[in-house]
Amino acid sequence: MKQQMQTDVFLPNYYITNSTTSKASFEKVRNAISELDYEKTIDLALTSINTIKRTQLTIAYDHRIYQLIQQYKYDAAVQDIEQVIEYNPDLGANYLKLANVLELQGKQEKVYQVCDEALKKTKMPANDSLYEELVQLKNAANEKCTRRIDPLTVLPVKLDDRIFTALMTKDLVGLTYISSLWRHRVLQCDAAWETVHDILNNRPNASWVLPKVAKHIKKMSLSSEKTIVMSKYFEFIEDGVFTKIGSLTIRAFNKVNNMEMLLASALWKIRNTLTSLSLYVPDSTKPLQLTTILFYCKNLKVLEFKAAGGSLASALGDLELLANTHKSLINLRLSIPQVTVSSLKSLISWCPNIRRLVLNNTFLPDNVIDILNDCARLEILGYCYSRYDSNILNLEDLNPNNNNDNSNSNDSKKHSDIIRNDSISTTTTSTAPLQSSDNNAVGQLRVLSTPTKHGYYYTPGVPINQLTQLLQRHQKSLERIYANMAITNKQEANGEPHPFIPSIDVDVLIFDRLEHLSYVADIYGVMEKLLLNSIELSHSSLKTFEAIDSFNIPAIVDALIKIPPVQKLKFFCRNPQVKYYTFQYYFGDEDQQQQQDDITAGQSMVRLFKSYASSCNNPCPSFSMGCDNSTSVLETVSFRKCNFITDNVLDALAEVKTLKVLEFEEIDTDDKMTSQGFKSFLIKLGQNTKVAILKLDQMNNVFKNCHGDDILRLIGKHMAYLEMLDLENLYHITYKGFEGMLNAIKGKKLRNLRVIGWEVDDTDFEDKIRRHIKKHDSRINFYLEYDDLGFGLFD
């Protein structure tokens, strides 16, 4: 295998030959001239000319040798070096260069021979650094010759394939240069080449590899601004070498000439196998319009079209050229700066079987229902996302047991089966918009997704009227709701909140299938109230509840207590100052303002966990709501930036015996949650629960002084079922605390210890931890990332 070598070994040298030889040669010529010996002068001049030729040729060869090595053309480099040695047999540096190239090829016997020849032929003193390098290289080659074992000759073929499959494309290409055996085995490993990322971009000289592995490739990603590279890719596609390719990603080709013709021809060639296409273009009109893509790729099921500029209208082209609707496309993601109602409706009408629609950086117009009427099979709708976001649920993530059955189509089949089929049957449904007053209307949308993840700190919300329409239309089928109801750009521009609460046309929604609810609360609280009333009165089996920037914790608790326990409960306050911009704070009465108080919120959380402790510790079908979730128990609790966490809240939480995952992030509540209270919580938690995952992040008020080390020791002593401990940005812990924890936890279940944001006060900390783990033969994977260095090490 290719070893890492110092680059200066191969750098070209402008002073390869001994200049003393040239000077002596010229001196002899001058002497012959002064002696008027013309024959001798001619002979000596010819000798000088030959010397100069060899010198210049050697320099030229040396430059070519360097370039050949950079392109892994080792055999050609060896031939050039041997020619240089012939010109200058007394120069030891050339022998060293030849030995190093042979070392790269793994030819240890030849390395030994070359070094031995150099030491005998060249007259170098023993104290010369070049002499020492040759001796070291000779001895190393001799040792490798006696013990060298090619792993491919001893490992089972199946194990080789597993190793190859785990490598990146550029590494696989590098392995093909080791030997003919390695080249054969690597190229014949089907699984290793199923997914390929930029062979030519990483290894421009590796164009010979693509035709040999093309028959294995099912997924390929192309990304290059080099004209010659992209042209080569499309040349191979046109030649028909890719017989199985089903997924293709193309980006960064704005500098390639004739891209429209090249890409169109390539898509036509792989039209029968291509089912997924991701296209990243600089402008919506170049190089291909959506009409061309849909016309050529009749079997396309997944299309991602991202344009840095332009509009959807210009990207469409003339859809009438399709003649018939595109029946295979089920997954569409668009990222285009300008999207109009007419252009979006036009595209959807020609792709009636779309099941997943994601619109990046796009706000739907008010008449959203009218636009989606033609999308009768839509199951996932996401919009207002960043074009780089990948957090939106995919079709394969949907629960196959909850498929809609609203028509005579094959909707009863699992979604994965539908994706695998080459064609999708169309569904005949009414496209008339539902009236806003019709709460009994049946829709088919299963996931409604707008940005609610922790990373969307400043993402504006979506208009309430849009959410209301979508929720009301699809209340019977929705399984997951991610609703960003934060202040919108328009509301912020209008100086809201205003003293008048906006009205909505519905008091309650009946969710039959809702399993996940995540929302960013609205500034007026009306949509939050609607959602809380709806989950309380619905017949769904809610499993995950996540509230972001909500300052009405008592209302949330009242709703959650009245339904069966959820499995995952998450609270996140992005910025506690947000409450000062809500209607309740500006215009609410005393009771409404009191609901936003942290003390009231903490008391409500105590009430919730006491209720959950009663129902989860003794699960029984005590709820007569028509739900199948009566035996559900709370397993995951996550708090982030929540100022209402107190010792009493922790004490009540520790009583819930079904807990498995706990996360406390950025909790700094001054004296509300004390160090002693958290210690008591850990002891009680270890006695009552079997928590397997614990995450503590930025809890410096609790870990201050010497309490951090005490907390670590308590974790090791009392949490016998802990499998993963994640500690981030905790600045009051030392090695003594970790040592005490590891000693106490010996023989228990801990397998992963992750420390992020460690202050480098104890420079030997990492080594101490690793030595301790090794000494006690612990099977703990240890990860450490130093503060501000971004440096991590794994065991």
Side-chain angles (χ1 to χ4, degrees):
M1 187 175 294
K2 183 173 75 68
Q3 301 177 359
Q4 296 295 326
M5 302 296 298
Q6 296 181 354
T7 55
D8 57 357
V9 174
F10 302 113
L11 286 175
N13 189 353
Y14 289 93
Y15 308 99
I16 293 176
T17 57
N18 192 340
S19 60
T20 304
T21 304
S22 300
K23 290 181 180 179
S25 178
F26 279 109
E27 190 63 30
K28 292 179 181 180
V29 173
R30 291 193 189 97
N31 292 336
I33 293 174
S34 63
E35 295 172 358
L36 300 177
D37 189 341
Y38 300 113
E39 290 296 327
K40 186 178 180 180
T41 300
I42 293 172
D43 293 336
L44 291 175
L46 180 61
T47 302
S48 297
I49 291 172
N50 291 333
T51 301
I52 294 172
K53 284 183 177 179
R54 286 196 298 269
T55 301
Q56 296 302 318
L57 283 172
T58 299
I59 293 174
Y61 269 120
D62 207 40
H63 280 76
R64 188 166 74 171
I65 290 166
Y66 179 76
Q67 296 301 325
L68 289 172
I69 292 173
Q70 293 302 307
Q71 295 186 6
Y72 306 102
K73 297 179 179 180
Y74 299 135
D75 290 335
V78 167
Q79 292 178 5
D80 280 1
I81 299 173
E82 289 174 344
Q83 186 65 51
V84 171
I85 291 175
E86 184 178 336
Y87 290 153
N88 299 278
D90 298 327
L91 195 60
N94 292 326
Y95 289 95
L96 180 61
K97 186 172 293 186
L98 176 59
N100 279 315
V101 175
L102 294 172
E103 169 74 6
L104 291 178
Q105 292 181 296
K107 299 177 180 180
Q108 302 301 330
E109 293 182 1
K110 290 187 176 181
V111 172
Y112 180 89
Q113 294 172 3
V114 169
C115 291
D116 185 67
E117 182 182 357
L119 293 171
K120 291 178 180 179
K121 287 186 176 182
T122 58
K123 298 177 181 180
M124 292 178 290
N127 60 354
D128 192 311
S129 60
L130 184 61
Y131 182 91
E132 293 177 359
E133 287 186 65
L134 286 167
V135 171
Q136 291 177 3
L137 198 57
K138 175 184 175 182
N139 294 336
N142 184 50
E143 183 181 352
K144 292 178 181 178
C145 283
T146 57
R147 62 177 179 83
R148 184 187 66 179
I149 299 177
D150 190 335
L152 289 188
T153 62
V154 294
L155 293 178
V157 175
K158 290 185 178 180
L159 184 56
D160 294 342
D161 289 349
R162 290 186 63 181
I163 295 173
F164 295 153
T165 304
L167 297 177
M168 297 181 67
T169 303
K170 62 179 182 179
D171 299 322
L172 288 171
V173 175
L175 293 180
T176 62
Y177 291 95
I178 295 177
S179 67
S180 57
L181 174 62
W182 279 77
R183 184 180 303 113
H184 174 75
R185 293 281 281 273
V186 171
L187 295 180
Q188 292 303 313
C189 181
D190 300 12
W193 297 101
E194 286 186 358
T195 300
V196 168
H197 298 283
D198 284 334
I199 288 182
L200 301 183
N201 202 34
N202 292 307
R203 307 266 190 178
N205 62 309
S207 58
W208 64 272
V209 175
L210 264 179
K212 295 182 180 297
V213 299
K215 60 183 178 181
H216 307 313
I217 297 176
K218 297 180 180 179
K219 182 178 181 181
M220 185 163 62
S221 176
L222 315 180
S223 176
S224 178
E225 293 186 357
K226 300 176 182 178
T227 303
I228 188 172
V229 172
M230 294 302 292
S231 299
K232 198 69 175 178
Y233 274 126
F234 291 117
E235 179 183 326
F236 283 131
I237 296 177
E238 283 189 272
D239 290 343
V241 297
F242 298 100
T243 58
K244 295 182 180 180
I245 189 166
S247 176
L248 181 62
T249 299
I250 307 174
R251 69 183 74 194
F253 47 72
N254 50 306
K255 296 182 180 180
V256 180
N257 297 324
N258 302 320
M259 174 50 66
E260 181 174 359
M261 182 178 64
L262 290 173
L263 183 54
S265 180
L267 291 180
W268 176 257
K269 202 69 178 182
I270 57 176
R271 66 190 184 282
N272 294 324
T273 59
L274 189 66
T275 58
S276 176
L277 175 63
S278 295
L279 201 57
Y280 299 71
V281 298
D283 185 83
S284 58
T285 60
K286 299 176 181 179
L288 282 185
Q289 293 181 314
L290 288 170
T291 297
T292 305
I293 296 173
L294 296 175
F295 180 81
Y296 283 163
C297 306
K298 299 294 186 181
N299 296 324
L300 198 64
K301 298 178 181 179
V302 180
L303 175 59
E304 186 172 3
F305 188 86
K306 296 184 179 182
S311 64
L312 177 59
S314 61
L316 288 179
D318 187 1
L319 289 170
E320 296 293 336
L321 295 176
L322 295 178
N324 298 311
T325 58
H326 195 287
K327 298 180 180 180
S328 296
L329 191 65
I330 59 175
N331 191 338
L332 176 63
R333 182 165 186 166
L334 299 173
S335 178
I336 304 177
Q338 302 174 32
V339 177
T340 62
V341 177
S342 58
S343 61
L344 186 58
K345 286 195 66 172
S346 180
L347 177 59
I348 290 176
S349 65
W350 284 95
C351 303
N353 291 327
I354 292 178
R355 296 173 55 204
R356 181 178 184 266
L357 176 63
V358 179
L359 303 172
N360 296 339
N361 304 319
T362 301
F363 288 90
L364 293 177
D366 292 339
N367 56 339
V368 58
I369 296 297
D370 293 338
I371 294 179
L372 300 180
N373 274 337
D374 292 332
C375 221
R377 295 174 61 97
L378 190 65
E379 297 183 67
I380 299 176
L381 173 63
Y383 62 105
C384 301
Y385 279 88
S386 162
R387 63 176 179 168
Y388 302 107
D389 181 82
S390 58
N391 293 321
I392 308 173
L393 211 66
N394 287 306
L395 288 170
E396 57 267 22
D397 299 322
L398 293 176
N399 186 350
N401 297 321
N402 289 344
N403 280 327
N404 296 302
D405 189 14
N406 299 332
S407 67
N408 295 325
S409 65
N410 294 327
D411 286 352
S412 60
K413 293 184 179 180
K414 292 184 178 182
H415 63 279
S416 57
D417 294 334
I418 297 179
I419 293 177
R420 285 193 295 267
N421 290 338
D422 287 336
S423 60
I424 299 177
S425 59
T426 57
T427 305
T428 305
T429 58
S430 172
T431 59
L434 297 172
Q435 300 299 320
S436 60
S437 60
D438 186 5
N439 283 349
N440 296 319
V442 178
Q444 75 290 326
L445 196 66
R446 300 171 68 181
V447 178
L448 175 60
S449 185
T450 57
T452 61
K453 295 293 183 181
H454 294 172
Y456 301 106
Y457 286 99
Y458 303 106
T459 304
V462 297
I464 289 178
N465 59 334
Q466 285 186 10
L467 283 173
T468 305
Q469 290 183 64
L470 291 168
L471 292 175
Q472 190 171 18
R473 169 72 182 271
H474 302 283
Q475 57 187 296
K476 298 296 183 180
S477 59
L478 277 169
E479 299 169 16
R480 291 171 174 261
I481 298 174
Y482 303 85
N484 184 353
M485 304 179 295
I487 187 169
T488 65
N489 290 331
K490 184 177 180 180
Q491 287 177 319
E492 190 171 8
N494 291 337
E496 299 189 37
H498 292 160
F500 305 103
I501 298 179
S503 61
I504 53 179
D505 298 332
V506 59
D507 295 326
V508 67
L509 300 168
I510 304 301
F511 298 114
D512 287 347
R513 299 182 177 182
L514 189 63
E515 297 178 354
H516 181 115
L517 175 60
S518 175
Y519 68 84
V520 181
D522 58 305
I523 59 175
Y524 292 102
V526 293
M527 281 299 295
E528 182 178 30
K529 180 180 178 181
L530 171 63
L531 291 175
L532 293 177
N533 289 340
S534 298
I535 63 172
E536 180 182 336
L537 298 175
S538 294
H539 308 298
S540 62
S541 302
L542 191 65
K543 296 178 181 178
T544 300
F545 179 88
E546 180 180 24
I548 302 170
D549 286 348
S550 174
F551 302 97
N552 197 354
I553 302 299
I556 292 177
V557 170
D558 289 340
L560 291 177
I561 286 178
K562 295 177 183 178
I563 65 174
V566 296
Q567 293 178 4
K568 296 180 180 179
L569 186 62
K570 300 182 179 182
F571 291 92
F572 176 33
C573 297
R574 296 182 296 184
N575 183 0
Q577 302 300 317
V578 171
K579 71 178 180 181
Y580 299 121
Y581 300 95
T582 61
F583 172 86
Q584 289 89 336
Y585 179 82
Y586 266 106
F587 308 107
D589 56 28
E590 186 175 345
D591 291 337
Q592 289 176 320
Q593 293 174 357
Q594 182 68 20
Q595 287 180 335
Q596 292 190 329
D597 188 79
D598 292 334
I599 296 177
T600 306
Q603 293 171 346
S604 298
M605 294 305 299
V606 171
R607 187 160 53 93
L608 174 65
F609 290 134
K610 285 184 176 181
S611 174
Y612 270 27
S614 175
S615 57
C616 294
N617 298 347
N618 301 289
C620 60
S622 57
F623 292 90
S624 57
M625 302 293 296
C627 307
D628 59 0
N629 202 33
S630 55
T631 58
S632 175
V633 294
L634 181 64
E635 297 179 352
T636 299
V637 175
S638 176
F639 293 111
R640 186 174 183 186
K641 289 188 174 181
C642 298
N643 290 338
F644 53 77
I645 306 301
T646 65
D647 289 349
N648 291 333
V649 172
L650 295 178
D651 189 65
L653 178 60
E655 293 290 344
V656 183
K657 297 181 179 180
T658 56
L659 292 175
K660 294 182 179 179
V661 179
L662 281 178
E663 297 177 343
F664 294 90
E665 301 182 61
E666 302 178 68
I667 306 293
D668 191 3
T669 56
D670 298 326
D671 296 329
K672 298 175 185 176
M673 182 171 65
T674 65
S675 300
Q676 188 57 46
F678 196 76
K679 293 178 185 178
S680 301
F681 167 67
L682 291 174
I683 295 173
K684 195 172 182 179
L685 199 66
Q687 295 171 346
N688 294 339
T689 72
K690 296 182 179 181
V691 171
I693 299 176
L694 177 63
K695 180 177 182 180
L696 305 176
D697 179 7
Q698 292 189 39
M699 299 179 61
N700 295 306
N701 184 62
V702 175
F703 278 71
K704 62 185 177 182
N705 301 327
C706 62
H707 294 293
D709 290 344
D710 292 340
I711 289 173
L712 290 183
R713 284 189 283 267
L714 287 174
I715 290 174
K717 181 178 180 180
H718 294 283
M719 303 193 69
Y721 295 91
L722 193 64
E723 297 178 13
M724 179 174 180
L725 178 60
D726 191 345
L727 306 173
E728 299 187 20
N729 306 303
L730 302 173
Y731 301 131
H732 300 284
I733 51 179
T734 67
Y735 171 71
K736 291 184 177 180
F738 280 97
E739 183 182 33
M741 181 189 71
L742 292 173
N743 286 334
I745 214 164
K746 180 183 177 182
K748 297 179 182 177
K749 294 188 175 183
L750 185 66
R751 292 294 177 266
N752 295 283
L753 174 59
R754 189 168 178 261
V755 182
I756 304 275
W758 175 259
E759 287 185 320
V760 194
D761 291 333
D762 184 355
T763 56
D764 296 329
F765 168 75
E766 182 180 340
D767 292 335
K768 291 177 182 177
I769 293 290
R770 296 188 185 283
R771 284 197 298 268
H772 191 288
I773 292 173
K774 186 175 181 180
K775 177 181 177 181
H776 294 278
D777 195 25
S778 301
R779 298 180 180 179
I780 299 177
N781 298 314
F782 175 52
Y783 174 76
L784 172 66
E785 185 173 304
Y786 293 106
D787 188 27
D788 295 328
L789 294 180
F791 176 66
L793 293 173
F794 287 94
D795 256 350

